[in-house]
Amino acid sequence: MSLLQEVKQVAAEFEFPASGVNNAVKEFMKQMDEGLQRNGTTMSQIPTYVTAVPNGTEKGLYLAVDLGGTNFRVCSIQLHGNTTFSLTQSKVAIPKELMVAKTAKELFSFLAKQIETFLKTHHSDHFEAHIRRRHTISASDGYRNVEIFRLGFTFSFPVEQNGINKGTLIRWTKGFDIEDAIGKDVCALLQHEIDLLHLPVKVAALVNDTVGTLMARSYTSPGKTGTLIGAIFGTGTNGAYVEKLDRVTKMTKVGSSAAYDKTTGEMIVNTEWGSFDNHLSVLPNTPYDKQLDKESVNPGIQMFEKRVSGMFLGEILRRTILSLISNSNIQLFKDENSSSNDVHSTTTIADNSPLYQQWGIDTSFLSIVQEDQSVNLRITRQVIEKDLGVSAASTEDAEAIKILVAAIGKRSARLSAVALGAIVISSGRLASSSAAGAITSEAKSSDQASPDNDAAAANEDEIIDIGVDGSLVEYYPGFEDFIREAWREIPEIGPQGEKKIRIGIAKDGSGVGAALIALVAGAAEKPTIDEEDD
């Protein structure tokens, strides 16, 4: 059997046919429902207490901060009310000693001081021009006007959220280890340090970046329809969507005491879909997936993410290539002599090749190979040498790698279609798309530009809008096309339904999205606030 025939057999292991897609959609919807009914399920389905999405007409100046790793970002976002915004930001590295400080105060005091520096630098002369007037009662001076910046706090560590601006830290990750902060409300910790500096800032919302992606897309998307789903397909993957409030039954069962606006009848839910089907009832499971999971830091969990996200696709490819080159009967990267290689040399794998190192292949390698249409796959052969340490790879070698890359990337996209498609079907929007729900159909201003409005040209009222972010969906060639192909194979969506679904890039969920959640949180507060237009 020729090399390419052998490789096509291996690539076939990654096929995820229409039957698999449809079975997975049904299971995804089942696990969605389970997560809405109780805690401790495979898919967490976390209520976010965000009960409205923007429609692009909102105005105002808001702050956002993002603690997601070794950097801390502070932003101010001016919403112009016509789906556009202006963003000012600064970023500072977190000193290593503060990542392992003895007390939470040391870290959060540092964060508050960065907010103070940002305000002094960028907004010292502009408080009066961009204010929310708030009448507060003070025992000594009665009513007084206070200029307040509302702030969205993106905190990318595991928290148990129990209010729109309340969340207790479960554990640290990413090199942080401050035991004193465990079990404490991170919003309250930041607010306390802000108040000590007498800053006109209220921590209005605790933000998940996926929810922020949904919000950012809904503000900037064209047309009348609010966004239904925000999704990230990058290093990791996750999704958030607009759910009917009466379906989130676990909130009443656990007796949630958090205050939130119930008048919209809806709430954004953070699915945490990376853990979908951890028990592998419907997900594909090749020998390469099994090996990857077994040697990962978290065996048995995040099984959906391990087949979809950019962090893992390169590792799946690496393990697939290794299985082929370890088989003496398969001639990948092997030559008996130079006459069998079209570059008149013999292929050599370096001893320190990334092929021999866990996580040695980055997903950008797959994107380059997938896109390559050069003569004799010259670009692929160059990147095989540069990124894999394999010299003098033949055209047939490059063709073999391209076949594997295509299979792994296509499977990732078809699995992504399962998650998105299941939520679209569950929402009922396709069945009654012209009778849309309260916050997903909020009318937008009629004079908006529509840069990605092709799908909406026929009937804007029927469009289902999805906001996405991440390197896979933005840069991996054909990723959206593979998603749409899978949707057409789902009877509840089909060719007609697929045309009604619009996918648009939504950037900066932790910045713009966080600011928009702060806006929504402020609007939902009890009427102690008197807002005035500038």
Side-chain angles (χ1 to χ4, degrees):
M1 193 181 295
S2 72
L3 169 60
L4 295 186
Q5 288 174 318
E6 295 272 13
V7 166
K8 285 175 182 176
Q9 281 194 348
V10 173
E13 297 182 53
F14 292 99
E15 289 180 2
F16 191 50
S19 58
V21 169
N22 281 284
N23 287 338
V25 165
K26 291 181 178 68
E27 182 63 23
F28 195 99
M29 293 172 68
K30 176 187 171 186
Q31 293 185 27
M32 280 176 66
D33 289 343
E34 289 171 352
L36 293 174
Q37 294 168 25
R38 60 184 186 276
N39 293 323
T41 56
T42 303
M43 278 173 57
S44 298
Q45 292 283 77
I46 301 168
T48 66
Y49 302 91
V50 180
T51 58
V53 297
N55 63 15
T57 63
E58 294 82 0
K59 296 180 180 180
L61 182 67
Y62 294 85
L63 294 181
V65 296
D66 181 6
L67 182 65
T70 56
N71 292 313
F72 181 63
R73 185 167 69 123
V74 186
C75 315
S76 61
I77 296 92
Q78 178 70 56
L79 304 171
H80 299 305
N82 59 355
T83 78
T84 68
F85 59 87
S86 302
L87 183 145
T88 304
Q89 66 177 333
S90 68
K91 188 182 289 188
V92 62
I94 304 291
K96 284 187 170 55
E97 62 270 19
L98 290 184
M99 295 171 67
V100 292
K102 289 184 178 180
T103 66
K105 179 178 179 63
E106 294 171 70
L107 174 64
F108 285 88
S109 172
F110 172 82
L111 302 183
K113 286 172 183 173
Q114 304 314 307
I115 296 170
E116 179 183 47
T117 300
F118 180 86
L119 291 176
K120 286 181 177 178
T121 303
H122 297 288
H123 296 290
S124 59
D125 299 329
H126 303 290
F127 285 160
E128 290 294 336
H130 307 287
I131 65 171
R132 286 167 58 90
R133 295 198 181 278
R134 181 176 185 177
H135 297 300
T136 61
I137 298 175
S138 169
S140 57
D141 21 90
Y143 286 96
R144 56 191 172 86
N145 285 335
V146 182
E147 300 157 6
I148 297 291
F149 279 94
R150 299 199 170 274
L151 178 145
F153 183 15
T154 301
F155 185 77
S156 300
F157 300 89
V159 295
E160 181 179 345
Q161 190 163 356
N162 41 36
I164 197 163
N165 66 343
K166 294 180 175 64
T168 55
L169 178 63
I170 298 170
R171 64 182 178 275
W172 290 104
T173 58
K174 307 173 189 176
F176 283 76
D177 186 14
I178 307 171
E179 189 174 347
D180 177 55
I182 304 295
K184 292 182 179 178
D185 181 349
V186 295
C187 290
L189 289 171
L190 181 59
Q191 187 68 61
H192 178 71
E193 299 302 327
I194 286 171
D195 292 345
L196 289 178
L197 295 174
H198 304 292
L199 303 179
V201 174
K202 176 179 179 180
V203 181
L206 181 62
V207 178
N208 170 277
D209 58 355
T210 312
V211 180
T213 297
L214 192 163
M215 301 292 278
R217 171 63 185 176
S218 197
Y219 183 79
T220 60
S221 67
K224 300 177 182 178
T225 308
T227 300
L228 173 65
I229 305 171
I232 293 176
F233 299 103
T235 304
T237 184
N238 190 22
Y241 71 102
V242 179
E243 181 58 274
K244 296 177 181 65
L245 188 56
D246 60 10
R247 295 192 66 208
V248 194
T249 55
K250 67 181 177 183
M251 292 187 68
T252 54
K253 288 179 181 177
V254 300
S256 174
S257 60
Y260 57 93
D261 181 8
K262 300 179 179 66
T263 62
T264 66
E266 298 186 322
M267 179 176 285
I268 295 176
V269 172
N270 168 21
T271 66
E272 293 294 338
W273 72 33
S275 61
F276 164 59
D277 197 33
N278 278 343
H279 50 284
L280 298 178
S281 64
V282 294
L283 287 178
N285 198 28
T286 69
Y288 322 106
D289 296 308
K290 293 175 184 176
Q291 293 166 10
L292 183 152
D293 178 57
K294 183 179 179 181
E295 297 180 27
S296 69
V297 296
N298 54 352
I301 62 174
Q302 297 297 102
M303 301 304 261
F304 183 72
E305 184 169 70
K306 286 172 181 172
R307 287 151 179 77
V308 170
S309 76
M311 179 176 178
F312 299 99
L313 299 188
E315 181 64 6
I316 294 171
L317 175 64
R318 187 187 74 85
R319 291 176 180 276
T320 308
I321 294 172
L322 273 184
S323 74
L324 290 168
I325 62 178
S326 64
N327 186 331
S328 59
N329 295 320
I330 297 177
Q331 297 302 302
L332 180 62
F333 300 147
K334 302 184 185 88
D335 301 304
E336 289 185 14
N337 58 63
S338 60
S339 65
S340 61
N341 187 319
D342 60 344
V343 293
H344 307 297
S345 184
T346 53
T347 307
T348 305
I349 304 175
D351 291 340
N352 64 345
S353 166
L355 286 171
Y356 302 130
Q357 302 164 24
Q358 190 178 22
W359 314 113
I361 300 180
D362 188 82
T363 299
S364 60
F365 174 87
L366 283 78
S367 295
I368 294 168
V369 173
Q370 179 72 19
E371 192 170 27
D372 185 16
Q373 300 296 327
S374 61
V375 176
N376 294 329
L377 297 180
R378 175 181 52 83
I379 293 171
T380 294
R381 288 153 76 176
Q382 288 174 347
V383 79
I384 285 173
E385 180 161 7
K386 174 176 170 287
D387 290 0
L388 304 188
V390 179
S391 60
S394 67
T395 300
E396 190 178 35
D397 289 331
E399 289 172 350
I401 298 302
K402 191 172 177 70
I403 289 168
L404 296 175
V405 163
I408 293 167
K410 184 174 183 178
R411 189 185 71 164
S412 168
R414 289 174 70 82
L415 286 167
S416 302
V418 167
L420 297 172
I423 293 173
V424 168
I425 295 166
S426 176
S427 74
R429 292 285 305 280
L430 277 176
S432 57
S433 49
S434 59
I439 69 172
T440 54
S441 61
E442 200 168 3
K444 291 187 171 232
S445 59
S446 59
D447 60 346
Q448 293 173 26
S450 300
D452 52 358
N453 207 25
D454 291 345
N459 190 345
E460 172 63 38
D461 290 338
E462 295 186 350
I463 290 300
I464 296 170
D465 193 79
I466 297 175
V468 294
D469 193 11
S471 55
L472 267 182
V473 72
E474 192 168 2
Y475 300 119
Y476 193 91
F479 199 82
E480 181 179 336
D481 294 337
F482 289 140
I483 288 175
R484 292 188 174 279
E485 178 185 76
W487 281 343
R488 291 191 290 271
E489 297 168 5
I490 303 170
E492 296 91 337
I493 298 177
Q496 291 305 310
E498 177 264 314
K499 292 175 184 175
K500 295 178 181 179
I501 304 173
R502 177 174 58 204
I503 296 177
I505 299 294
K507 302 301 292 181
D508 200 13
S510 64
V512 178
L516 287 161
I517 295 173
L519 178 155
V520 169
E525 283 182 353
K526 292 179 181 179
T528 57
I529 301 173
D530 175 26
E531 295 188 42
E532 296 179 8
D533 290 331
D534 296 330

